[in-house]
Amino acid sequence: MPSRFVLDLNKAADCNEAGTHVELTQLKDQLTDNTYDERLGEIYGSDPGEIAAARTRLGSLLDWYGKAFGEDANSTDVSLYTAPGRTEMGGNHTDHQQGAVLAGSVTLDMVACAAPNGTHTACVISEGYPEIVVNLDELDPKPEEEGTSQALVRGMAAAMAQRGYSPVGFNAVVYSAVPGGSGLSSSAAYEVLIGVILNHIACADDLTAAEIAQIGQFAENTFFGKPSGLMDQMGSALGGVAHLDFKDPAKPVIHPIPFDMEKTGYALCIIDSGADHADLTDDYTAIRTEMKSIAAFFGKDVLREVDPAEFWTRIPELRATTSDRAVLRAMHFFEDHARVAQQAAAIEEGRFGDFLQLVKESGISSQTQLQNLYSVGQPLEQAVVVTQSVAKHVLDGRGAVRVHGGGFAGTVQAYVPADFAGEFKKEVDQAIGPDACHILRIRPIGGAVIAG
């Protein structure tokens, strides 16, 4: 994402022609008179305090849109949108080898107020970032945009154009409660948010959540310049918990799993280790490269295409022709891929204790076989290991802990007894840093139009 700056909310954007939804002033009145409380409850939960907080937050977003796009914005037709962060509940570094994952949408989200502007230009202002302006008549990747939000917007529009839709220029303001670098995939939430906006204003809501996720992955891979699997975008787009199988990435098998975490008696905690994510591209690339080297030994492109039984019988040859670490990382793939189906079944059948045991096994595999808890190039910096160790100490045998997401730097996932979650957060924050621990819930709705 772009470097941060202090946003001037009084700054008017360059694009401010009207669009085609509910007028901003009318939508503000409807929020105030509780017209959308049922919809907010579907997204954010039935707690009256959560609904009131969402109403206030979205009202502020509408005010911000009016300030950002000038006086005429108050009579502009607008819509409100949301896209959640995601958590990886099973399958660590399995998706990019066409394996399976277990993903869930979380309560922290990005929200946007947006409207068509009658031009072929997208104008997006995100809190804490510079305004971006993207000419939607120019839909080829631009090398100078790699690693920027412009690249993601352009890539999303390009993918929709490839599907036969005509991208529509729009204005938007975006607020994120998904912390950057939190392991909850703020980049995927941003992609899904832009995808939902364009789907609503340019595609008549024709695209499915899975298609929006695939478009997001395309934008991130081809325009943003970051290789990624499809789990992040799927986890944000779909909502709830889903068992995802990427054997055919173009047609992933999606199995939604009804899941009410509160009934388990546990809370989901994501802990930010505070580590620096800079200069870790080589570490992430090495995992892919080494897994693919094992696949190539068998004449395959990815490990999913390799017979696990044959892999285990040819360990000596593999060690001689690749490396011990590549072999270990392949072991992790085969075992963690298989674990995902077991985890999905455990949740679906109400065996949450079995699920927690599998989480622990996945964590051990990530540490000893996948080896993504710290960078070998920076062996003295092991923030994820320290964070994981602190969490295990505080839990004292309860719940489960594992590395979360890509690893090396980033976050740790913990399942904590609900009646202990407050004390857990207090002790972890004291050891790791203020607000390092986020207590979350799984939300049932993914990327969506809230109103308008």
Side-chain angles (χ1 to χ4, degrees), residues 229-311:
L230 190 53
M231 181 194 68
D232 292 350
Q233 293 82 3
M234 281 288 194
S236 176
L238 292 173
V241 174
H243 179 192
L244 308 171
D245 190 330
F246 298 116
K247 184 176 182 178
D248 180 354
K251 297 179 180 179
V253 177
I254 303 169
H255 177 56
I257 300 175
F259 180 59
D260 186 343
M261 191 155 192
E262 291 183 8
K263 292 182 178 179
T264 69
Y266 283 82
L268 170 66
C269 294
I270 301 296
I271 311 162
D272 186 350
S273 70
D276 186 357
H277 288 68
D279 300 324
L280 292 173
T281 301
D282 290 346
D283 293 290
Y284 294 123
T285 301
I287 290 178
R288 286 171 169 266
T289 300
E290 291 174 19
M291 286 186 176
K292 282 182 172 289
S293 73
I294 300 294
F297 176 88
F298 295 97
K300 307 296 184 182
D301 291 327
V302 292
L303 287 175
R304 180 62 181 272
E305 299 171 345
V306 175
D307 179 2
E310 186 178 2
F311 163 79

Side-chain angles (χ1 to χ4, degrees), residues 58 61 113 154 158 168 237 267 383 410 438:
L58 294 171
L61 190 69
C113 177
R154 196 181 304 279
V168 173
H438 303 275

Side-chain angles (χ1 to χ4, degrees), residues 75-89:
S75 59
T76 295
D77 299 326
V78 300
S79 297
L80 293 169
Y81 304 85
T82 175
R86 69 95 187 102
T87 185
E88 167 202 284
M89 300 173 72

